[in-house]
Amino acid sequence: MSKTILVTGGLGYIGSHTVVELQAAGYDVVVIDNLNNSSQEVKTRIEEISGQSFELTVADVNDNAALEELFAKYNFEGVIHFAAHKAVGESVDYPVMYYQNNVSGLISLLGVMEKHAVSNLIFSSSCTVYGETKNPPVTEQTPIQKAESPYGTSKILCEEIITDYAKHKDFKSILLRYFNPVGAHPSSKIGELPLGVPNNLVPYITQTAAGIREQLTVFGDDYNTEDGTCIRDYIHVLDLAKAHVKALSYCDKMAERVDVFNVGTGNGNTVLEVIRAFETVNNLKLNYKIGPRRGGDIEKIFAETTKVNDVLGWTAQYDIKDMMQHAWAWQQGLGE
Ligand code: UFG
């Protein structure tokens, strides 16, 4: 009998790729998504890739009645919880919205999971919990810092709530701390759909190359790195999606109640290296300039991935050139 997994935010950027991978691994999938940062069309695209359909409920995770209905109908094997707001800058302007959506959303979900005795949860956390680190790579033991933004705070609070809840109840959870997810499905059928002007580097690069934005500004070249620009661990979204499938099967058999994994490639790339990879693999020139630093940026962060490699048996397959190639192919499919 196949296992049914609830995916909250399953039409979003990471969620959609994960649904594809879950279906490929033989899971039945049910999605709840409020279409806040997605569209119904994504469901069709996922089904085109996988050749399999799935049930979608268009509702918020804070909508208790909608969750109740799903949990009454299905005997879920586990839940993967993506549904959340994710823009650091926006969270500074609308903190309550972030607590409401990200923290209350989780509590609402846990309430229904408790009632229906569903005990496996994969949670989307972020390397933002490590804050400014002195000596990357960061391991899962690297201390968590007080967050700089309500977004970061919401992720720390959610990790704490899950860890505390699991102490008192028959409950298991894996916290996946994502580094910088980029790229798109190689089919170019699904990818990131940024709302308005992108804040993140890669969608800004692809929109500049497409002529939607005039010029990319590199935020600072006076950091203490090889070329003076910040270092991040960019990870292909499809690799990240696959880590969720691995986490789900591990969650069932692990001895601990809660475990945490960094999900990155383990390699750091500077902003200029990302631009160069984009130009080389796509054979084009990007219009960019060096500008001032962006407030709140961390100089250098990348993951130590030994734990996720050894325990989950997962390693990133795609490199930065693949990421840039797929991101550009996806952007071109979107039109200008
Ligand atoms: N950058 C530019 N120009 C731009 C946009 C970004 O130079 O127009 C630079 C940034 O300064 C940074 C790098 O590109 O050095 C990556 O920036 P992103 O905004 O793409 O990603 P961040 O690392 O700032 O943020 C990401 C996620 C957050 C998460 C954070 C954790 O978007 O959700 O990592 O560190 F919280």
Side-chain angles (χ1 to χ4, degrees), residues 293-318:
R293 289 183 178 198
R294 176 173 72 176
D297 267 341
I298 289 161
E299 183 167 275
K300 189 185 204 179
I301 185 163
F302 54 94
E304 166 59 58
T305 59
T306 309
K307 186 175 174 192
V308 71
N309 300 155
D310 292 354
V311 180
L312 290 193
W314 171 93
T315 308
Q317 301 297 313
Y318 292 107

Side-chain angles (χ1 to χ4, degrees), residues 128 151 180 199-201 217-219 230 232 234 294 297:
T128 198
Y151 164 76
N180 287 53
N199 293 308
N200 297 119
L201 178 64
T217 302
V218 174
F219 297 137
C230 291
R232 297 286 182 278
Y234 297 92
R294 176 173 72 176
D297 267 341

